[in-house]
Amino acid sequence: MLTSFFGNSKSINYILLAAALPLVLGLRFWVTFSGLPSFMQVLELIGQSVLLIFSLLLLDFVIRKNKLTQPNTYGLWWFFCGIVAAVEPGNLLQALVLTLSLLSLRRMMSLANEQNLEKKIFDAALWIFMVSMFYPWFLWMILALYMAVAQLNQIAWRYYIIPLFSALCLGLILAGVVALYPEITAAVPGGDTLVSLELEPLNWSWPKPIWLQLGLAAGALLLVTTLVRLPLAYKEGTTMRQGHFQWVWRVLIMVLVLAGFSLDQKTEVFIWLVLPLTSILYANSLELKQPSWMREFLAFLPLVMPLAQLLLK
């Protein structure tokens, strides 16, 4: 049933997911706060829904542009279920950073076609540094950018220093803004990190929410199974697609480790990094040859995350 619906990329697929997103967020708000939202909270939910729908379409663009899957919406279905389970209703910053994260992933994955490389590397680094101003741990994604650069056929030393110019440009802009408006660091949530950063001790821990445990475990399972099955299934595929898989696997390993060592932002790591990467692997897993009952079972699995979030605390 679900496989026949999400097994194609018709307009109705996008319309249904886009329409369901604000409805589910509204339901989650009502369940969480046991009441109807105020006018300002309604505006926050609308703004959050717009950003999340844009992120949904942006992820679909990344998948289509780089030909990471066949024409289907399996990946969006996985992404949708993870989003409605993970996001905090009305949290605009969380939705905005997801958009910025996807913009950086878009630029990094498009490096494989080896066109306009300098501009793409600059843009990817710029998005990463922008997020890192509020969440310093996101700087680890610079390593993911260098992984993508290292896979290029035409490697030049200048590609490795371009991110430094992105940081310099953003730093100059930030210094100018802070000089003109010193109060901005207090007005912006998390703005104090723009001035000073504190190092946190490394300590591996397992997330407390059951839905997040299931989501991260599913990400690790997708990593292991696709590492084994996809190379066999696509051994005659294009070199570019194989390169994309290798990059996704490496970055996913890094972000899963990052989630394990994160003290209080495991949910953010899951939303901004684990979900987009595992969406690609999930869609490719469903495309593999397997019994129809197994494919249908896998199509229903993403529903476990929102159901666990709703029913199990």
Side-chain angles (χ1 to χ4, degrees):
M1 183 175 64
L2 286 179
T3 53
S4 60
F5 181 77
F6 291 107
N8 54 65
S9 56
K10 296 180 181 179
S11 300
I12 186 63
N13 297 57
Y14 303 99
I15 294 173
L16 181 63
L17 292 177
L21 191 54
L23 294 177
V24 177
L25 287 178
L27 175 62
R28 281 202 54 205
F29 183 94
W30 181 75
V31 172
T32 303
F33 299 101
S34 302
L36 297 177
S38 65
F39 178 73
M40 287 303 299
Q41 290 170 331
V42 169
L43 293 180
E44 291 175 350
L45 287 171
I46 292 175
Q48 182 186 33
S49 298
V50 170
L51 287 172
L52 292 178
I53 291 171
F54 177 76
S55 298
L56 195 74
L57 298 176
L58 182 57
L59 176 63
D60 181 68
F61 175 80
V62 172
I63 292 175
R64 285 170 172 267
K65 185 71 174 179
N66 296 285
K67 299 179 180 179
L68 300 175
T69 67
Q70 298 173 11
N72 59 60
T73 47
Y74 291 140
L76 293 190
W77 169 237
W78 172 268
F79 187 74
F80 170 84
C81 290
I83 284 296
V84 298
V87 297
E88 178 185 346
N91 192 326
L92 288 174
L93 182 60
Q94 200 178 57
L96 177 61
V97 174
L98 172 61
T99 302
L100 297 179
S101 175
L102 287 171
L103 287 171
S104 68
L105 289 175
R106 167 180 171 264
R107 279 312 202 183
M108 284 186 278
M109 301 200 76
S110 67
L111 290 176
N113 62 25
E114 307 207 1
Q115 298 177 359
N116 302 317
L117 291 176
E118 292 87 351
K119 184 177 185 300
K120 291 177 179 178
I121 295 172
F122 183 90
D123 289 349
L126 189 64
W127 297 126
I128 292 171
F129 287 126
M130 285 182 65
V131 176
S132 301
M133 290 192 305
F134 302 97
Y135 301 93
W137 58 263
F138 203 84
L139 271 175
W140 282 102
M141 289 305 294
I142 287 293
L143 180 58
L145 176 58
Y146 281 124
M147 290 180 191
V149 171
Q151 289 184 322
L152 299 175
N153 293 321
Q154 43 173 319
I155 299 179
W157 63 269
R158 66 180 184 276
Y159 296 154
Y160 292 94
I161 66 171
I162 290 176
L164 300 179
F165 289 98
S166 297
L168 178 61
C169 291
L170 188 61
L172 291 174
I173 294 172
L174 178 63
V177 172
V178 173
L180 292 174
Y181 306 100
E183 65 277 6
I184 194 171
T185 57
V188 177
D192 54 331
T193 60
L194 301 179
V195 180
S196 63
L197 302 178
E198 294 184 2
L199 296 179
E200 297 177 345
L202 293 179
N203 183 27
W204 181 274
S205 60
W206 193 247
K208 294 181 179 179
I210 296 178
W211 68 264
L212 187 54
Q213 295 179 21
L214 294 173
L216 292 174
L221 185 60
L222 278 171
L223 172 66
V224 173
T225 55
T226 54
L227 269 171
V228 175
R229 300 189 67 189
L230 290 187
L232 297 175
Y234 298 123
K235 58 184 177 181
E236 297 179 356
T238 62
T239 303
M240 185 179 296
R241 193 176 192 185
Q242 293 172 350
H244 281 313
F245 287 148
Q246 293 171 4
W247 183 83
V248 169
W249 289 327
R250 291 167 185 160
V251 177
L252 184 55
I253 291 173
M254 182 184 73
V255 299
L256 286 174
V257 173
L258 190 61
F261 282 108
S262 176
L263 293 179
D264 56 358
Q265 294 180 346
K266 298 180 188 295
T267 301
E268 283 73 15
V269 178
F270 177 75
I271 297 172
W272 301 335
L273 298 173
V274 175
L275 260 184
L277 296 172
T278 52
S279 296
I280 298 169
L281 300 182
Y282 174 77
N284 279 276
S285 297
L286 276 177
E287 291 173 359
L288 296 175
K289 292 182 179 179
Q290 52 198 329
S292 58
W293 65 268
M294 176 60 73
R295 184 175 286 107
E296 200 67 42
F297 173 74
L298 292 176
F300 273 95
L301 273 184
L303 286 172
V304 173
M305 287 186 287
L307 290 176
Q309 205 284 338
L310 180 65
L311 302 176
L312 304 175
K313 299 296 182 182

